[in-house]
Amino acid sequence: MRRTKAAALSLAATTALALTVTGCDTVKETAGGIVSTATAAVASAAEEKMNEVKDGVKATGDVKAGPTSTEGDRTVAEITATNPEDKNADYTVMVTFRDANGNFLDSVVLSIDGVEPGKSKTGTARSNRTLSGEPTAEIAQALRH
């Protein structure tokens, strides 16, 4: 994550320099590129976090995303994991936030631990940044372990 933050700070400094040297159109293009790069970095970090799970079983069908709401300056969604197995299970879930057009906005990974057999347990997915519009949450990947 430190690399991601350092890259974002570096990109912000580059943008500030670009603002003083270029016109509005170039600034808009540069800003769009920065957002795109930062978004890709967040998605990559989430994927790396999922790859850290050892001996996980694909369990996307066990997990559901609820509607989104705003909590402070972040978008949140309640995520529910239902354990169909006969022993306790932990879940690692990648949640993707998308805008009304289906465009990727953000991605987060959360853990829902100690879900008892045949029971459900919830966790809250919280965006990494402020999201505009009315984003939706979807389960991109879920692992039961």
Side-chain angles (χ1 to χ4, degrees):
M1 262 331 220
R2 286 187 180 170
R3 246 187 283 163
T4 303
K5 288 180 183 178
L9 289 174
S10 175
L11 289 170
T14 303
T15 301
L17 180 60
L19 286 170
T20 60
V21 179
T22 62
C24 286
D25 289 340
T26 304
V27 170
K28 287 180 184 176
E29 289 173 17
T30 302
I34 289 170
V35 169
S36 178
T37 301
T39 301
V42 166
S44 178
E47 190 65 42
E48 285 179 31
K49 190 74 173 165
M50 293 301 293
N51 289 337
E52 291 175 7
V53 176
K54 301 299 178 213
D55 299 323
V57 175
K58 183 178 176 182
T60 308
D62 296 359
V63 184
K64 304 287 182 234
T68 60
S69 61
T70 303
E71 192 173 283
D73 65 343
R74 301 290 191 244
T75 299
V76 296
E78 186 173 273
I79 308 302
T80 303
T82 303
N83 182 3
E85 299 296 309
D86 58 0
K87 62 181 181 176
N88 279 5
D90 298 331
Y91 287 83
T92 301
V93 184
M94 183 188 318
V95 179
T96 300
F97 293 98
R98 295 191 181 276
D99 67 14
N101 295 320
N103 297 312
F104 176 88
L105 297 173
D106 199 4
S107 190
V108 298
V109 175
L110 79 137
S111 295
I112 302 175
D113 295 329
V115 183
E116 295 178 23
K119 304 269 177 133
S120 296
K121 193 170 180 182
T122 61
T124 301
R126 183 178 321 281
S127 67
N128 293 300
R129 59 186 178 85
T130 302
L131 305 179
S132 60
E134 295 185 28
T136 58
E138 63 183 41
I139 306 304
Q141 187 178 4
L143 298 172
R144 181 178 57 243
H145 48 100

